[in-house]
Amino acid sequence: MILTVTVNTALDITYRVRSLRPHASHRVSEVTERPGGKGVNVARVLAALGHEVTVTGLTGGTTGRVVQQRLAAVPGVVDALVPVSGATRRTISVVDEQTGDTTQLNEPGPMVTPTEWSAFQEAYEYLLPSASAVALCGSLPPGVPVGAYAGLVRTARAAGVPVLLDTSGEALRRGVAARPDIIKPNADELAELTGSHEPLRATLDARRRGAGAVVASLGPEGLLAATREGRWRATPPTSVRGNPTGAGDSVVAGLLSGLVEHLPWPTRLARATALAAATVTAPVAGKFDRRVYEGLLGQIRVTSEASAA
């Protein structure tokens, strides 16, 4: 079983409009609601790849009940969410059908009390012995300590469970110091962590700060990885248009599935890159176009970056 942690779960709402214009009224052509948050999106993709997945995190209020009802309908995903008194947040994505661009609004999430956070930590420790790997994903809601991910990384490592961390800002900086097996920042998050805007130098710096492996998402340019085994760049053959929301979560799913299947790093990176591109072409986060994925998988170019180090 793969365990995904979404401390700040969400109900993802996607609106599609013909053309998004500031200061104007819009007629919505389509509305989609799905359980969300980064770890939930990761779990959905992992389940579609055939893995058993358990989702944990925090959920509450009317929105939280909707999230759990809809999560129950996702094949292969087990709900182990922990209740809180506050209401689960909503994230709003508005897709401009003419340009393909997406505008996103993210609510902060519920206020979490120390008692509620302690209850979550107990649930997390209970789930870890059954996990082959764990992903810690997304933002922290109000009330959760900024060093929370660092503590969850240490708990996973103490249990002998490989851990991937996908967050940003101070939570990432503290989490890296706890020595996660993998981190997956995007280019901006990596630059904020290291102070370097040169991706290869930044990935190497992030490894020195404690990460076992660093896989940086470079958007349409693919992935750049620095690991104990080597350094690689994975590049898709062409750029794809669509909704990029959730593409990074599909990268995490590809990396985790490759980890538990004991695949070599180049194969993991090719899978993660193909999944990300196939997610951009899908209408909503946490879903990928399988035909696009299977068509791209053999076309991803993975090259060694050893000579550039």
Side-chain angles (χ1 to χ4, degrees):
M1 176 268 285
I2 298 175
L3 179 64
T4 72
V5 175
T6 310
V7 180
N8 208 5
T9 53
L11 180 65
D12 287 343
I13 304 171
T14 302
Y15 295 131
R16 300 185 71 87
V17 299
R18 183 175 180 182
S19 177
L20 181 62
R21 292 166 290 131
H23 316 299
S25 297
H26 297 79
R27 189 175 297 276
V28 176
S29 61
E30 182 182 349
V31 181
T32 305
E33 291 187 352
R34 292 163 69 85
K38 293 178 73 64
V40 174
N41 294 334
V42 171
R44 192 183 289 111
V45 174
L46 283 168
L49 292 172
H51 290 274
E52 295 182 0
V53 193
T54 295
V55 171
T56 191
L58 304 174
T59 186
T62 302
T63 306
R65 288 193 290 274
V66 174
V67 167
Q68 291 189 281
Q69 289 167 2
R70 305 219 168 181
L71 196 59
V74 180
V77 175
V78 175
D79 175 3
L81 292 168
V82 177
V84 295
S85 57
T88 293
R89 67 190 177 125
R90 297 161 297 177
T91 63
I92 312 296
S93 297
V94 183
V95 180
D96 185 317
E97 294 177 336
Q98 287 190 348
T99 66
D101 292 337
T102 301
T103 299
Q104 193 157 356
L105 304 173
N106 296 325
E107 296 179 357
M111 177 63 69
V112 178
T113 68
T115 299
E116 290 168 338
W117 180 242
S118 294
F120 167 75
Q121 289 176 294
E122 291 179 8
Y124 174 71
E125 291 180 22
Y126 174 80
L127 291 166
L128 276 176
S130 301
S132 55
V134 59
L136 307 174
C137 303
S139 61
L140 298 172
V144 174
V146 71
Y149 280 136
L152 297 180
V153 168
R154 293 187 187 99
T155 302
R157 288 179 57 82
V161 180
V163 57
L164 184 154
L165 176 62
D166 183 16
T167 188
S168 61
E170 184 66 12
L172 175 59
R173 189 183 70 81
R174 298 197 186 193
V176 167
R179 309 187 69 81
D181 295 87
I182 307 171
I183 63 169
K184 192 224 62 71
N186 61 32
D188 290 340
E189 292 163 350
L190 186 62
E192 182 183 7
L193 174 66
T194 65
S196 173
H197 291 272
E198 199 291 304
L200 182 56
R201 180 177 300 134
T203 56
L204 296 173
D205 185 20
R207 277 209 66 214
R208 285 191 290 267
R209 291 168 185 256
V214 180
V215 180
S217 294
L218 304 180
E221 298 178 19
L223 302 175
L224 181 64
T227 78
R228 295 183 181 91
E229 290 80 8
R231 293 172 286 278
W232 294 275
R233 187 181 297 268
T235 310
T238 58
S239 61
V240 295
R241 292 189 61 186
N243 180 3
T245 306
D249 304 330
S250 291
V251 170
V252 172
L255 296 174
L256 276 180
S257 63
L259 171 66
V260 300
E261 293 172 31
H262 307 290
L263 299 179
W265 268 106
T267 306
R268 298 186 207 180
L269 296 169
R271 175 183 291 182
T273 303
L275 280 171
T279 299
V280 172
T281 64
V284 291
K287 188 174 183 180
F288 65 95
D289 187 315
R290 188 171 290 275
R291 288 192 302 175
V292 172
Y293 165 64
E294 293 175 350
L296 281 175
L297 190 57
Q299 301 181 52
I300 302 299
R301 184 167 179 258
V302 183
T303 56
S304 173
E305 292 287 311
S307 60

